[in-house]
Amino acid sequence: MLDLDGKLSVVMPAYNEETLIYGNLIKTVEIVSNFVEDFEIVVVNDGSKDNTLEEIKRAARKDGRIRPVSYGKNRGKGNAIMAGVMQSDGEYIAFVDADLELNPSQLEGYLEKMITDNKDVVIGCKFHKDSKLKYPFKRKVISMGYYLMLLCLFHLNVKDTQTGLKVFRASAIKPVGHLIRTAGFAYDIELLVAVHRRGAKIAQMPVEVVFVRDKGVNRIGLKDIFRAFVDTWKIFYRVYFLHYYDEK
């Protein structure tokens, strides 16, 4: 067991995941309980149109460490993540995707890295030399494009912002939670830029990714990529023209 000086909150956003959310929540509890004693799974129903909320509630009845958060209108992954963060109780806050293509067992090493090296943020990086990927080439290209953009625009030397597995100290993420305005897939960029602007120490760790789906309701399309590109330039404007993320 990890010797954490506080509770771990695992935030899991979910949109139209009725077929897998129950089983994956129970599996996440089983995995996390192997290395952390005090934890909660904060699962956010992002305005799903199917039976996702009912399946989340069913899982919560089975295990009280699962905490449902829900709202009626779909607002995007970024909004769901931040809704979960702001309702979390833990001193450590992790992000996990509902499809579990990134196994939550990897959080143990991330937390160890955070404690041993005194980091504020530890994120998964598909471009780390030790990462193990079964991943479409198209998404590798997209991720590399984001890295180059971030390095040029924000001097943020983070090779992969989009991998869903991340751990934050609550003291680093909660003070900027109300500043995050991006609801879509570029929310990772805004969040990392915001904590970086306030001096957070960020580390990158390898990931093992098993890509479980290329089609369906949560597929990332060209429209999502274009929206993320536009949102990134909006973040640039807020950083350098409004000084929006700087401590006042």
Side-chain angles (χ1 to χ4, degrees), residues 171-213:
S171 58
I173 190 172
K174 286 204 168 183
V176 302
H178 68 288
L179 299 175
I180 306 305
R181 297 170 59 178
T182 307
F185 289 102
Y187 86 91
D188 304 80
I189 298 172
E190 184 172 25
L191 180 55
L192 291 173
V193 167
V195 297
H196 173 69
R197 295 287 296 182
R198 295 192 173 204
K201 294 174 287 184
I202 304 173
Q204 300 174 88
M205 287 283 284
V207 291
E208 183 172 351
V209 183
V210 179
F211 191 66
V212 298
R213 56 188 174 191

Side-chain angles (χ1 to χ4, degrees), residues 115-162:
I115 295 165
T116 302
D117 293 356
N118 191 30
K119 299 297 184 180
D120 301 297
V121 185
V122 180
I123 65 174
C125 176
K126 293 186 289 292
F127 297 104
H128 193 285
K129 63 182 179 63
D130 296 324
S131 290
K132 299 177 182 178
L133 307 179
K134 294 180 181 178
Y135 214 61
F137 177 75
K138 180 178 72 173
R139 289 184 65 173
K140 291 181 183 179
V141 172
I142 293 169
S143 295
M144 180 56 75
Y146 275 126
Y147 164 58
L148 295 174
M149 180 179 287
L150 289 179
L151 194 59
C152 292
L153 296 183
F154 307 113
H155 310 291
L156 183 62
N157 191 19
V158 174
K159 291 184 178 179
D160 182 9
T161 62
Q162 304 310 110

